[in-house]
Amino acid sequence: MDVLLGLQWGDEGKGKIVDVLAPQYEVVARFQGGPNAGHTLEFDGIKHVLHQIPSGIFRPQILNIIGNGVVLDPIILKKEIEGLGKFSIDYQKNLVVSKKATIIIPTHKLLDAAYEQSKGDKKIGSTLKGIGPTYQDKIGRSALRVGDILSPDFKEKYQLLVEKHKTTLSFYNFSVDKLEEMEGQFFEAVEFVKSLNLIDSEYVVNEALAADKKILAEGAQGSLLDVDFGSYPFVTSSTTMTAGACTGLGVAPSKIGEVFGIFKAYCTRVGSGPFPTELFDEIGEAMRKEGNEFGSTTGRPRRCGWLDLPALKYSIMINGVTQLFMMKADVLNIFKEIKVCTQYELPDGEKIDRLSFEITDTEVKPVYKTMKGWNCSLADVRSYEEFPVELKDYVAFLESALNVPIKLVSVGPDRVQTIMR
Ligand code: GDP
Ligand code: IMO
Ligand code: MG
């Protein structure tokens, strides 16, 4: 099983590349996260944003798995499937859902909002999809799982959990006025989910591996949002790294093959938390505009900045990345000069390149290497040989600094704007 994951703060372009690589695989599987993800695919002039459905769904030969490590919102899944109505996708054949995946219920979303509200200016900037509270219940051993919806006492189990949540919501003085309407949608969506192919996906995955079928695990979010290794507490609530694909699908670590680490040629972050190379000037503004850096899930403007090598090295280390994929190179076309952060300078002047425990709360200054930009369009570039020399230099510099080959460079959102090396 190969794993594809984001090495930064999410939105690196995972959806696009999973769709591009999918023909080489028989199975594509999501292993963590939930509707906080927004994975964009573009082909034949149409743009699609997937939140819960794996990005192999447009390839009819592929089995798409929503694995046990995922948190699933039935309402959003139903809407998503209905939204793809015109593509005549055979969901019985091409999509399966683990019965062991955890369900997001309406009060999880209210709790997410209540927690954020109570944090004031310390808020995480969550997507408000109920991710944190649902994983909290999973680890606290009180959550509902997809398999539970088939049980005759599902409503009682649900009610028990809701009563618990209501106590917490009243502690936070958070209104439950919207709950009744949300519950109507929820139970309707639960009936819909029952009609899907609900399975024990760990068997399907391991039987596929035993039959020498190729599986691609599709990460959501990014390593710098990982609950253990991200800039805690400004993280998501799941294991976004390679190891998460093992627990989130029931696959042994020894079965992991290639680890594709995907990163933007610069950095973006949506939500709060440290971002050493963030640009607050017209350069950052230009990146946001050129890269169309607005959230696929929430529409929020993404914070933008130069590439951060210490952070990238860290992500490569904790994930065991074997191949790097660099995305959105074309966005840097507009710049005469490009900067790359090679170290952080601490307030006392010391220069470091490690992401220590203390770093989240330390104001660090990025130390930059400045490179000449290519400053021309990449729209018609279809092979590495056609790259402008400055882009070749950028790629070569990153490869030598990161010590992992960059095997793919993306120069536009469409499937065809993908250059393999
Ligand atoms: P994901 O969450 O990692 O799947 O990434 P998102 O879909 O949230 O964000 C990536 C955005 O960049 C989407 O709008 C993509 O269509 C777009 N995109 C992907 N690759 C490229 C690229 O190489 N160049 C440009 N300009 N846009 C890209
Ligand atoms: P994809 O898969 C970018 C961020 C949120 C917030 C933090 C916690 O599209 O790359 P959560 O709702 O998970 O509790 O929010 O994580 N975040 C993402 N940022 N891309 C994502 O997914 C994200 N999923 C969560 O903005 O800062
Ligand atoms: Mg995204």
Side-chain angles (χ1 to χ4, degrees):
M1 181 172 85
D2 298 338
V3 185
L4 179 138
L5 9 98
L7 300 181
Q8 295 162 322
W9 288 286
D11 302 328
E12 296 88 352
K14 299 175 290 292
K16 168 181 166 168
I17 298 302
V18 170
D19 171 64
V20 167
L21 296 183
Q24 303 171 31
Y25 292 87
E26 274 128 326
V27 178
V28 172
R30 279 278 307 269
F31 57 89
Q32 47 70 234
N36 48 349
H39 294 184
T40 314
L41 290 68
E42 242 182 89
F43 54 87
D44 301 340
I46 317 175
K47 179 170 156 174
H48 310 272
V49 182
L50 298 171
H51 300 287
Q52 302 199 122
I53 300 177
S55 301
I57 199 71
F58 295 105
R59 310 280 193 176
Q61 71 282 16
I62 289 197
L63 177 66
N64 290 273
I65 300 180
I66 298 179
N68 56 278
V70 168
V71 289
L72 187 77
D73 184 331
I75 301 173
I76 296 180
L77 181 65
K78 177 169 178 274
K79 270 199 200 127
E80 214 174 323
I81 290 181
E82 286 168 354
L84 295 178
K86 54 181 178 295
F87 292 96
S88 58
I89 294 164
D90 183 351
Y91 290 98
Q92 284 304 319
K93 183 168 150 272
N94 292 125
L95 181 72
V96 294
V97 183
S98 168
K99 286 185 191 172
K100 293 177 181 124
T102 309
I103 300 183
I104 301 174
I105 69 170
T107 39
H108 284 134
K109 292 185 255 191
L110 298 178
L111 284 168
D112 203 352
Y115 294 151
E116 284 286 78
Q117 204 179 68
S118 75
K119 287 193 167 102
D121 63 0
K122 299 254 177 339
K123 71 172 193 227
I124 312 289
S126 125
T127 58
L128 301 179
K129 302 292 175 194
I131 306 298
T134 307
Y135 276 118
Q136 222 175 321
D137 275 343
K138 172 180 174 172
I139 302 301
R141 298 168 296 190
S142 52
L144 299 168
R145 302 196 291 173
V146 169
D148 289 322
I149 66 176
L150 303 172
S151 130
D153 58 356
F154 176 65
K155 280 227 161 113
E156 285 93 89
K157 284 182 179 163
Y158 169 85
Q159 211 48 50
L160 207 69
L161 187 57
V162 169
E163 291 312 318
K164 240 174 79 173
H165 289 166
K166 278 186 177 164
T167 316
T168 313
L169 287 164
S170 82
F171 172 84
Y172 284 100
N173 255 325
F174 199 87
S175 162
V176 289
D177 289 352
K178 286 202 191 119
L179 184 57
E180 209 178 300
E181 189 193 332
M182 291 163 93
E183 283 183 326
Q185 290 178 358
F186 176 75
F187 283 107
E188 201 182 301
V190 162
E191 285 310 308
F192 172 80
V193 173
K194 279 185 191 169
S195 73
L196 298 174
N197 203 348
L198 311 180
I199 56 154
D200 290 302
S201 61
E202 60 277 29
Y203 282 107
V204 173
V205 169
N206 282 288
E207 281 157 13
L209 288 172
D212 273 335
K213 290 189 177 163
K214 288 192 71 188
I215 301 178
L216 181 62
E218 172 181 3
Q221 290 77 56
S223 300
L224 303 177
L225 289 169
D226 180 81
V227 68
D228 283 271
F229 298 104
S231 41
Y232 194 90
F234 303 103
V235 294
T236 192
S237 296
S238 67
T239 297
T240 59
M241 45 192 288
T242 309
C246 296
T247 56
L249 291 170
V251 171
S254 57
K255 298 272 166 44
I256 303 292
E258 297 293 325
V259 178
F260 307 124
I262 165 165
F263 69 101
K264 280 180 193 170
Y266 51 100
C267 283
T268 65
R269 176 166 201 167
V270 56
S272 334
F275 182 174
T277 63
E278 182 168 13
L279 293 164
F280 300 95
D281 55 7
E282 63 282 2
I283 300 181
E285 195 50 54
M287 260 180 207
R288 181 157 37 250
K289 199 163 156 247
E290 190 67 16
N292 191 22
E293 296 295 358
F294 297 89
S296 318
T297 297
T298 57
R300 292 178 292 179
R302 294 175 183 148
R303 302 156 64 192
C304 295
W306 297 117
L307 192 62
D308 180 336
L309 289 189
L312 210 45
K313 280 183 193 166
Y314 186 73
S315 295
I316 291 169
M317 173 181 80
I318 61 174
N319 286 304
V321 171
T322 59
Q323 298 185 29
L324 287 166
F325 296 169
M326 184 169 88
M327 307 300 291
K328 302 189 93 162
D330 56 298
V331 174
L332 299 183
N333 292 355
I334 54 171
F335 299 113
K336 290 207 164 67
E337 274 186 348
I338 293 171
K339 290 188 180 178
V340 184
C341 166
T342 53
Q343 283 178 306
Y344 304 135
E345 188 179 319
L346 298 176
D348 67 2
E350 191 194 346
K351 293 190 177 112
I352 57 160
D353 69 349
R354 285 181 168 241
L355 274 67
S356 63
F357 173 85
E358 291 78 15
I359 204 133
T360 309
D361 294 321
T362 311
E363 280 287 327
V364 297
K365 233 171 71 189
V367 179
Y368 287 118
K369 174 183 167 68
T370 303
M371 301 187 66
K372 194 162 179 281
W374 46 95
N375 211 209
C376 62
S377 166
L378 301 176
D380 301 319
V381 170
R382 288 292 173 273
S383 74
Y384 181 72
E385 287 66 43
E386 295 167 49
F387 276 7
V389 62
E390 294 84 359
L391 176 53
K392 283 185 179 162
D393 287 348
Y394 192 62
V395 170
F397 169 69
L398 297 180
E399 279 189 328
S400 72
L402 299 168
N403 223 358
V404 180
I406 297 178
K407 293 278 201 181
L408 180 156
V409 178
S410 175
V411 295
D414 196 276
R415 265 182 193 168
V416 298
Q417 295 168 309
T418 312
I419 286 134
M420 312 295 269
R421 287 180 71 211

